[in-house]
Amino acid sequence: MKQHSSGVVIGTVLALIVGFGVVAGIWLGLRSTTSLGYDPSTYYASKNNSGTFELDLQVFPDSQVCHAGASAPQINWVSYCPSTSLEVPPNSTITVVIKQYDSSSTLHNDYYRQVQGTLDGQVDVNGTKYSQLDATKVAHTFTLQSPPDSLYPLFVSVPLMGTPTNAPTNAKVNGIAYPTPNIITFQFQTGPAGTYVWHCYDPCGSGLQGDNPATSNANFGGPMSTTGFMAGTLTVANY
């Protein structure tokens, strides 16, 4: 009886964590539409040689590649490229390949160090598979979520391994030097047409108004809640 009660408690806690993630994701997605006004062009998945649809993304520690015309301090904001407005076909296997150029920052919530929702429950980084990361080694997350009460729920959350803080900047993108990126690959399955929000759950932004640095909300403002940087949408539709 004691073991059964403990299982119920653990299950409830995990459910609350996931529920909070969904609510926070929707809130951040809506908040981003009233932020800096970036309206990124839609980036469509294309078919690769293996017959699956592929999204090729990059994550940078600044916005010099993604938003070269941004003003300070936005030019120093972390960002996903080439867009945060993604579109993929329905009922398809989607391969996501992310070149991750940024260093790590410690997660506030250990739940997001686990790989969730990929086809095999794992992620490939530079040829090695993992199902979770140490919370101190996560640079960003790619967390895709359904709106509440969705008819076709979808949840995919992948922690992205950070580059070493002392790594040499021997890679150049548009003439700008960055560390050699971690190449992160995973797959997930889409269902019928729908629209989802996605964003990062690693504290890689600026503070929110009224934040206490010791609280879990610290560093979830700025790029974390702005479309075109660390927040966006994924649309499942025929094209």
Side-chain angles (χ1 to χ4, degrees), residues 13-70:
V13 170
L14 288 177
L16 288 172
I17 291 171
V18 175
F20 170 79
V22 172
V23 173
I26 299 299
W27 180 83
L28 286 172
L30 293 174
R31 184 173 182 267
S32 68
T33 62
T34 61
S35 191
L36 295 183
Y38 286 105
D39 186 17
S41 300
T42 300
Y43 172 47
Y44 298 90
S46 57
K47 214 162 196 178
N48 59 23
N49 292 334
S50 66
T52 66
F53 286 85
E54 183 169 316
L55 290 170
D56 291 295
L57 306 174
Q58 303 89 43
V59 187
F60 292 98
D62 54 45
S63 295
Q64 296 183 79
V65 174
C66 309
H67 301 289

Short mmCIF file of all heavy atoms in Angstrom, two decimals, residues 13-70:
data_model
loop_
_atom_site.label_atom_id
_atom_site.label_comp_id
_atom_site.label_asym_id
_atom_site.label_seq_id
_atom_site.Cartn_x
_atom_site.Cartn_y
_atom_site.Cartn_z
N VAL A 13 3.00 14.38 -9.48
CA VAL A 13 4.02 15.42 -9.61
C VAL A 13 4.44 15.58 -11.06
O VAL A 13 4.54 16.68 -11.60
CB VAL A 13 5.24 15.10 -8.72
CG1 VAL A 13 6.40 16.04 -9.05
CG2 VAL A 13 4.87 15.22 -7.25
N LEU A 14 4.70 14.44 -11.75
CA LEU A 14 5.10 14.51 -13.15
C LEU A 14 4.01 15.12 -14.01
O LEU A 14 4.28 15.91 -14.92
CB LEU A 14 5.46 13.12 -13.66
CG LEU A 14 6.77 12.52 -13.15
CD1 LEU A 14 6.95 11.11 -13.68
CD2 LEU A 14 7.95 13.39 -13.55
N ALA A 15 2.76 14.77 -13.72
CA ALA A 15 1.65 15.34 -14.48
C ALA A 15 1.57 16.85 -14.31
O ALA A 15 1.32 17.59 -15.25
CB ALA A 15 0.33 14.69 -14.05
N LEU A 16 1.80 17.31 -13.08
CA LEU A 16 1.78 18.74 -12.82
C LEU A 16 2.90 19.44 -13.57
O LEU A 16 2.73 20.54 -14.10
CB LEU A 16 1.90 19.01 -11.32
CG LEU A 16 0.67 18.67 -10.48
CD1 LEU A 16 0.99 18.80 -8.99
CD2 LEU A 16 -0.51 19.57 -10.85
N ILE A 17 4.08 18.80 -13.60
CA ILE A 17 5.21 19.40 -14.31
C ILE A 17 4.90 19.56 -15.79
O ILE A 17 5.10 20.61 -16.39
CB ILE A 17 6.48 18.55 -14.11
CG1 ILE A 17 6.96 18.62 -12.66
CG2 ILE A 17 7.61 19.03 -15.03
CD1 ILE A 17 8.07 17.65 -12.33
N VAL A 18 4.38 18.47 -16.40
CA VAL A 18 4.05 18.53 -17.81
C VAL A 18 2.95 19.54 -18.06
O VAL A 18 2.99 20.32 -19.02
CB VAL A 18 3.64 17.14 -18.33
CG1 VAL A 18 3.19 17.23 -19.79
CG2 VAL A 18 4.80 16.16 -18.21
N GLY A 19 1.94 19.57 -17.18
CA GLY A 19 0.85 20.53 -17.31
C GLY A 19 1.35 21.96 -17.26
O GLY A 19 0.94 22.82 -18.04
N PHE A 20 2.26 22.23 -16.32
CA PHE A 20 2.85 23.56 -16.24
C PHE A 20 3.59 23.91 -17.52
O PHE A 20 3.50 25.02 -18.03
CB PHE A 20 3.83 23.63 -15.07
CG PHE A 20 4.65 24.90 -15.06
CD1 PHE A 20 4.12 26.09 -14.60
CD2 PHE A 20 5.96 24.90 -15.55
CE1 PHE A 20 4.86 27.25 -14.60
CE2 PHE A 20 6.71 26.06 -15.57
CZ PHE A 20 6.16 27.24 -15.09
N GLY A 21 4.28 22.92 -18.09
CA GLY A 21 5.02 23.16 -19.32
C GLY A 21 4.10 23.56 -20.46
O GLY A 21 4.39 24.48 -21.21
N VAL A 22 2.95 22.86 -20.58
CA VAL A 22 2.00 23.20 -21.64
C VAL A 22 1.46 24.60 -21.46
O VAL A 22 1.43 25.41 -22.39
CB VAL A 22 0.85 22.17 -21.67
CG1 VAL A 22 -0.23 22.62 -22.63
CG2 VAL A 22 1.37 20.80 -22.06
N VAL A 23 1.03 24.93 -20.25
CA VAL A 23 0.48 26.26 -19.98
C VAL A 23 1.52 27.34 -20.23
O VAL A 23 1.26 28.36 -20.86
CB VAL A 23 -0.05 26.34 -18.53
CG1 VAL A 23 -0.45 27.77 -18.20
CG2 VAL A 23 -1.23 25.41 -18.34
N ALA A 24 2.75 27.10 -19.74
CA ALA A 24 3.82 28.08 -19.94
C ALA A 24 4.13 28.25 -21.41
O ALA A 24 4.38 29.36 -21.89
CB ALA A 24 5.08 27.64 -19.17
N GLY A 25 4.10 27.15 -22.15
CA GLY A 25 4.39 27.23 -23.58
C GLY A 25 3.38 28.08 -24.32
O GLY A 25 3.74 28.91 -25.15
N ILE A 26 2.10 27.86 -24.04
CA ILE A 26 1.06 28.66 -24.69
C ILE A 26 1.20 30.13 -24.30
O ILE A 26 1.11 31.03 -25.14
CB ILE A 26 -0.35 28.14 -24.29
CG1 ILE A 26 -0.52 26.69 -24.72
CG2 ILE A 26 -1.42 29.02 -24.89
CD1 ILE A 26 -0.40 26.47 -26.21
N TRP A 27 1.45 30.39 -23.02
CA TRP A 27 1.60 31.77 -22.55
C TRP A 27 2.75 32.47 -23.23
O TRP A 27 2.63 33.59 -23.71
CB TRP A 27 1.81 31.78 -21.04
CG TRP A 27 1.97 33.16 -20.48
CD1 TRP A 27 0.97 34.03 -20.15
CD2 TRP A 27 3.19 33.83 -20.20
NE1 TRP A 27 1.51 35.19 -19.68
CE2 TRP A 27 2.87 35.10 -19.69
CE3 TRP A 27 4.54 33.48 -20.31
CZ2 TRP A 27 3.83 36.02 -19.32
CZ3 TRP A 27 5.51 34.38 -19.94
CH2 TRP A 27 5.15 35.65 -19.44
N LEU A 28 3.88 31.78 -23.33
CA LEU A 28 5.04 32.38 -23.98
C LEU A 28 4.79 32.58 -25.46
O LEU A 28 5.19 33.60 -26.03
CB LEU A 28 6.28 31.50 -23.78
CG LEU A 28 6.90 31.52 -22.37
CD1 LEU A 28 7.99 30.45 -22.28
CD2 LEU A 28 7.46 32.88 -22.05
N GLY A 29 4.11 31.62 -26.09
CA GLY A 29 3.83 31.76 -27.50
C GLY A 29 2.94 32.95 -27.79
O GLY A 29 3.17 33.70 -28.73
N LEU A 30 1.91 33.14 -26.96
CA LEU A 30 1.03 34.29 -27.15
C LEU A 30 1.73 35.59 -26.83
O LEU A 30 1.57 36.60 -27.51
CB LEU A 30 -0.22 34.13 -26.26
CG LEU A 30 -1.15 32.99 -26.63
CD1 LEU A 30 -2.26 32.86 -25.59
CD2 LEU A 30 -1.75 33.19 -28.01
N ARG A 31 2.54 35.59 -25.78
CA ARG A 31 3.25 36.81 -25.37
C ARG A 31 4.22 37.27 -26.44
O ARG A 31 4.42 38.45 -26.67
CB ARG A 31 4.01 36.53 -24.06
CG ARG A 31 4.71 37.76 -23.48
CD ARG A 31 5.28 37.41 -22.11
NE ARG A 31 5.90 38.58 -21.51
CZ ARG A 31 7.19 38.87 -21.63
NH1 ARG A 31 7.97 38.08 -22.35
NH2 ARG A 31 7.69 39.94 -21.05
N SER A 32 4.82 36.31 -27.14
CA SER A 32 5.82 36.66 -28.14
C SER A 32 5.23 37.44 -29.29
O SER A 32 5.90 38.24 -29.93
CB SER A 32 6.51 35.40 -28.67
OG SER A 32 5.60 34.63 -29.42
N THR A 33 3.91 37.25 -29.59
CA THR A 33 3.32 37.94 -30.72
C THR A 33 3.18 39.42 -30.47
O THR A 33 2.98 40.19 -31.40
CB THR A 33 1.94 37.35 -31.04
OG1 THR A 33 1.06 37.55 -29.93
CG2 THR A 33 2.03 35.86 -31.34
N THR A 34 3.28 39.86 -29.22
CA THR A 34 3.17 41.28 -28.92
C THR A 34 4.51 41.86 -28.52
O THR A 34 4.57 42.95 -27.96
CB THR A 34 2.15 41.51 -27.78
OG1 THR A 34 2.61 40.82 -26.60
CG2 THR A 34 0.78 40.97 -28.16
N SER A 35 5.58 41.16 -28.80
CA SER A 35 6.90 41.60 -28.36
C SER A 35 7.53 42.51 -29.40
O SER A 35 6.98 43.54 -29.73
CB SER A 35 7.76 40.38 -28.04
OG SER A 35 8.94 40.75 -27.39
N LEU A 36 8.67 42.13 -29.97
CA LEU A 36 9.41 43.02 -30.86
C LEU A 36 8.81 43.10 -32.25
O LEU A 36 9.24 43.93 -33.05
CB LEU A 36 10.86 42.54 -30.97
CG LEU A 36 11.68 42.63 -29.67
CD1 LEU A 36 13.11 42.20 -29.95
CD2 LEU A 36 11.64 44.03 -29.11
N GLY A 37 7.85 42.26 -32.55
CA GLY A 37 7.20 42.36 -33.84
C GLY A 37 7.89 41.61 -34.96
O GLY A 37 7.55 41.80 -36.12
N TYR A 38 8.86 40.76 -34.67
CA TYR A 38 9.46 39.96 -35.72
C TYR A 38 8.43 38.98 -36.25
O TYR A 38 7.72 38.33 -35.50
CB TYR A 38 10.68 39.21 -35.19
CG TYR A 38 11.89 40.08 -34.99
CD1 TYR A 38 12.29 40.46 -33.72
CD2 TYR A 38 12.62 40.54 -36.08
CE1 TYR A 38 13.39 41.27 -33.52
CE2 TYR A 38 13.72 41.36 -35.89
CZ TYR A 38 14.11 41.72 -34.62
OH TYR A 38 15.18 42.53 -34.44
N ASP A 39 8.35 38.87 -37.56
CA ASP A 39 7.41 37.96 -38.19
C ASP A 39 8.21 37.08 -39.15
O ASP A 39 8.28 37.35 -40.35
CB ASP A 39 6.34 38.74 -38.94
CG ASP A 39 5.26 37.83 -39.50
OD1 ASP A 39 5.17 36.68 -39.04
OD2 ASP A 39 4.52 38.27 -40.39
N PRO A 40 8.87 36.04 -38.63
CA PRO A 40 9.77 35.25 -39.46
C PRO A 40 9.03 34.55 -40.60
O PRO A 40 7.90 34.11 -40.44
CB PRO A 40 10.38 34.24 -38.48
CG PRO A 40 9.40 34.18 -37.36
CD PRO A 40 8.79 35.54 -37.25
N SER A 41 9.70 34.46 -41.74
CA SER A 41 9.13 33.73 -42.87
C SER A 41 9.00 32.25 -42.53
O SER A 41 9.79 31.70 -41.76
CB SER A 41 10.02 33.89 -44.10
OG SER A 41 10.14 35.25 -44.46
N THR A 42 8.01 31.61 -43.09
CA THR A 42 7.80 30.19 -42.81
C THR A 42 8.91 29.35 -43.42
O THR A 42 9.29 29.55 -44.58
CB THR A 42 6.44 29.73 -43.35
OG1 THR A 42 5.40 30.49 -42.73
CG2 THR A 42 6.21 28.25 -43.07
N TYR A 43 9.43 28.43 -42.64
CA TYR A 43 10.45 27.50 -43.10
C TYR A 43 9.79 26.13 -43.23
O TYR A 43 9.30 25.57 -42.26
CB TYR A 43 11.62 27.46 -42.12
CG TYR A 43 12.65 26.39 -42.40
CD1 TYR A 43 13.15 26.19 -43.68
CD2 TYR A 43 13.11 25.56 -41.38
CE1 TYR A 43 14.09 25.19 -43.93
CE2 TYR A 43 14.05 24.57 -41.63
CZ TYR A 43 14.53 24.39 -42.92
OH TYR A 43 15.45 23.42 -43.17
N TYR A 44 9.78 25.60 -44.45
CA TYR A 44 9.11 24.34 -44.74
C TYR A 44 10.08 23.17 -44.71
O TYR A 44 11.18 23.26 -45.26
CB TYR A 44 8.46 24.40 -46.13
CG TYR A 44 7.39 25.45 -46.27
CD1 TYR A 44 7.71 26.74 -46.69
CD2 TYR A 44 6.06 25.15 -45.99
CE1 TYR A 44 6.72 27.70 -46.83
CE2 TYR A 44 5.06 26.12 -46.12
CZ TYR A 44 5.41 27.40 -46.54
OH TYR A 44 4.44 28.35 -46.67
N ALA A 45 9.67 22.08 -44.09
CA ALA A 45 10.47 20.86 -44.12
C ALA A 45 10.54 20.35 -45.55
O ALA A 45 9.57 20.44 -46.30
CB ALA A 45 9.85 19.81 -43.21
N SER A 46 11.71 19.82 -45.93
CA SER A 46 11.88 19.29 -47.27
C SER A 46 12.24 17.81 -47.18
O SER A 46 12.80 17.36 -46.17
CB SER A 46 12.96 20.05 -48.03
OG SER A 46 14.19 20.02 -47.32
N LYS A 47 11.96 17.08 -48.24
CA LYS A 47 12.21 15.64 -48.23
C LYS A 47 13.71 15.37 -48.41
O LYS A 47 14.36 15.97 -49.26
CB LYS A 47 11.42 14.96 -49.34
CG LYS A 47 10.94 13.57 -48.97
CD LYS A 47 9.81 13.11 -49.89
CE LYS A 47 9.08 11.93 -49.29
NZ LYS A 47 7.97 11.49 -50.14
N ASN A 48 14.26 14.47 -47.58
CA ASN A 48 15.68 14.14 -47.68
C ASN A 48 15.86 12.81 -48.42
O ASN A 48 14.90 12.18 -48.88
CB ASN A 48 16.34 14.10 -46.31
CG ASN A 48 15.70 13.09 -45.37
OD1 ASN A 48 15.08 12.13 -45.80
ND2 ASN A 48 15.86 13.30 -44.07
N ASN A 49 17.11 12.37 -48.52
CA ASN A 49 17.42 11.16 -49.28
C ASN A 49 16.83 9.88 -48.68
O ASN A 49 16.64 8.89 -49.38
CB ASN A 49 18.94 11.00 -49.41
CG ASN A 49 19.56 12.08 -50.28
OD1 ASN A 49 18.89 12.64 -51.15
ND2 ASN A 49 20.82 12.40 -50.04
N SER A 50 16.55 9.91 -47.38
CA SER A 50 15.99 8.72 -46.72
C SER A 50 14.47 8.66 -46.83
O SER A 50 13.84 7.72 -46.34
CB SER A 50 16.40 8.68 -45.25
OG SER A 50 15.82 9.77 -44.55
N GLY A 51 13.88 9.68 -47.45
CA GLY A 51 12.43 9.67 -47.66
C GLY A 51 11.63 10.33 -46.56
O GLY A 51 10.39 10.36 -46.62
N THR A 52 12.29 10.84 -45.51
CA THR A 52 11.56 11.57 -44.47
C THR A 52 11.67 13.07 -44.73
O THR A 52 12.53 13.52 -45.50
CB THR A 52 12.13 11.26 -43.07
OG1 THR A 52 13.46 11.78 -42.97
CG2 THR A 52 12.15 9.77 -42.80
N PHE A 53 10.81 13.83 -44.09
CA PHE A 53 10.86 15.28 -44.20
C PHE A 53 11.82 15.83 -43.15
O PHE A 53 11.80 15.38 -42.00
CB PHE A 53 9.46 15.88 -44.05
CG PHE A 53 8.59 15.67 -45.25
CD1 PHE A 53 7.86 14.49 -45.41
CD2 PHE A 53 8.53 16.64 -46.24
CE1 PHE A 53 7.07 14.29 -46.53
CE2 PHE A 53 7.73 16.44 -47.37
CZ PHE A 53 7.00 15.27 -47.51
N GLU A 54 12.65 16.78 -43.54
CA GLU A 54 13.72 17.23 -42.65
C GLU A 54 13.65 18.73 -42.40
O GLU A 54 13.41 19.52 -43.32
CB GLU A 54 15.08 16.88 -43.27
CG GLU A 54 16.28 17.24 -42.40
CD GLU A 54 17.57 16.63 -42.92
OE1 GLU A 54 17.55 15.43 -43.29
OE2 GLU A 54 18.59 17.35 -42.97
N LEU A 55 13.88 19.10 -41.14
CA LEU A 55 14.06 20.49 -40.73
C LEU A 55 15.52 20.66 -40.32
O LEU A 55 16.01 19.96 -39.43
CB LEU A 55 13.16 20.83 -39.54
CG LEU A 55 11.65 20.92 -39.79
CD1 LEU A 55 10.91 21.02 -38.46
CD2 LEU A 55 11.31 22.12 -40.67
N ASP A 56 16.22 21.58 -40.96
CA ASP A 56 17.61 21.87 -40.62
C ASP A 56 17.67 23.21 -39.91
O ASP A 56 17.41 24.26 -40.51
CB ASP A 56 18.48 21.90 -41.88
CG ASP A 56 18.63 20.52 -42.49
OD1 ASP A 56 19.23 19.65 -41.84
OD2 ASP A 56 18.13 20.31 -43.62
N LEU A 57 17.99 23.18 -38.61
CA LEU A 57 17.99 24.37 -37.78
C LEU A 57 19.38 24.63 -37.22
O LEU A 57 20.22 23.73 -37.19
CB LEU A 57 16.98 24.23 -36.63
CG LEU A 57 15.54 23.86 -37.01
CD1 LEU A 57 14.71 23.62 -35.76
CD2 LEU A 57 14.92 24.95 -37.87
N GLN A 58 19.61 25.85 -36.77
CA GLN A 58 20.84 26.20 -36.07
C GLN A 58 20.47 27.00 -34.82
O GLN A 58 19.44 27.69 -34.80
CB GLN A 58 21.77 27.05 -36.94
CG GLN A 58 22.16 26.41 -38.27
CD GLN A 58 21.18 26.75 -39.36
OE1 GLN A 58 20.74 27.88 -39.49
NE2 GLN A 58 20.83 25.76 -40.18
N VAL A 59 21.30 26.91 -33.79
CA VAL A 59 21.12 27.70 -32.57
C VAL A 59 22.42 28.46 -32.31
O VAL A 59 23.49 27.85 -32.21
CB VAL A 59 20.78 26.83 -31.35
CG1 VAL A 59 20.44 27.72 -30.16
CG2 VAL A 59 19.61 25.91 -31.66
N PHE A 60 22.32 29.79 -32.20
CA PHE A 60 23.49 30.63 -32.02
C PHE A 60 23.45 31.37 -30.68
O PHE A 60 22.37 31.65 -30.15
CB PHE A 60 23.57 31.67 -33.15
CG PHE A 60 23.86 31.08 -34.49
CD1 PHE A 60 22.84 30.83 -35.40
CD2 PHE A 60 25.17 30.77 -34.87
CE1 PHE A 60 23.10 30.28 -36.65
CE2 PHE A 60 25.44 30.23 -36.12
CZ PHE A 60 24.40 29.98 -37.00
N PRO A 61 24.61 31.72 -30.13
CA PRO A 61 24.65 32.47 -28.86
C PRO A 61 24.33 33.94 -29.02
O PRO A 61 24.27 34.68 -28.04
CB PRO A 61 26.10 32.28 -28.39
CG PRO A 61 26.86 32.11 -29.66
CD PRO A 61 25.96 31.34 -30.58
N ASP A 62 24.13 34.39 -30.26
CA ASP A 62 23.76 35.78 -30.54
C ASP A 62 22.88 35.79 -31.77
O ASP A 62 22.52 34.74 -32.30
CB ASP A 62 25.01 36.65 -30.74
CG ASP A 62 25.95 36.10 -31.79
OD1 ASP A 62 25.46 35.69 -32.88
OD2 ASP A 62 27.17 36.04 -31.55
N SER A 63 22.52 36.99 -32.24
CA SER A 63 21.61 37.10 -33.38
C SER A 63 22.27 37.67 -34.62
O SER A 63 21.58 38.14 -35.53
CB SER A 63 20.40 37.97 -32.98
OG SER A 63 19.66 37.34 -31.97
N GLN A 64 23.58 37.62 -34.68
CA GLN A 64 24.28 38.23 -35.81
C GLN A 64 24.00 37.51 -37.13
O GLN A 64 24.03 38.13 -38.18
CB GLN A 64 25.79 38.25 -35.53
CG GLN A 64 26.16 39.12 -34.35
CD GLN A 64 27.66 39.18 -34.14
OE1 GLN A 64 28.37 39.90 -34.83
NE2 GLN A 64 28.15 38.41 -33.19
N VAL A 65 23.73 36.22 -37.07
CA VAL A 65 23.39 35.47 -38.28
C VAL A 65 21.90 35.56 -38.56
O VAL A 65 21.47 35.82 -39.68
CB VAL A 65 23.82 34.00 -38.15
CG1 VAL A 65 23.34 33.19 -39.36
CG2 VAL A 65 25.34 33.91 -38.04
N CYS A 66 21.08 35.35 -37.53
CA CYS A 66 19.63 35.27 -37.72
C CYS A 66 18.97 36.63 -37.90
O CYS A 66 18.01 36.77 -38.66
CB CYS A 66 18.99 34.59 -36.51
SG CYS A 66 19.75 33.03 -36.07
N HIS A 67 19.43 37.63 -37.18
CA HIS A 67 18.83 38.97 -37.22
C HIS A 67 19.94 40.01 -37.32
O HIS A 67 20.16 40.81 -36.40
CB HIS A 67 18.01 39.23 -35.96
CG HIS A 67 16.89 38.26 -35.75
ND1 HIS A 67 15.75 38.25 -36.52
CD2 HIS A 67 16.75 37.24 -34.87
CE1 HIS A 67 14.95 37.28 -36.12
NE2 HIS A 67 15.53 36.65 -35.12
N ALA A 68 20.62 40.02 -38.44
CA ALA A 68 21.78 40.90 -38.60
C ALA A 68 21.43 42.37 -38.41
O ALA A 68 22.26 43.18 -38.00
CB ALA A 68 22.40 40.69 -39.98
N GLY A 69 20.18 42.73 -38.68
CA GLY A 69 19.78 44.13 -38.55
C GLY A 69 19.20 44.50 -37.20
O GLY A 69 18.75 45.63 -37.01
N ALA A 70 19.21 43.56 -36.25
CA ALA A 70 18.63 43.84 -34.93
C ALA A 70 19.47 44.89 -34.19
O ALA A 70 20.67 45.00 -34.38
CB ALA A 70 18.56 42.56 -34.10
#
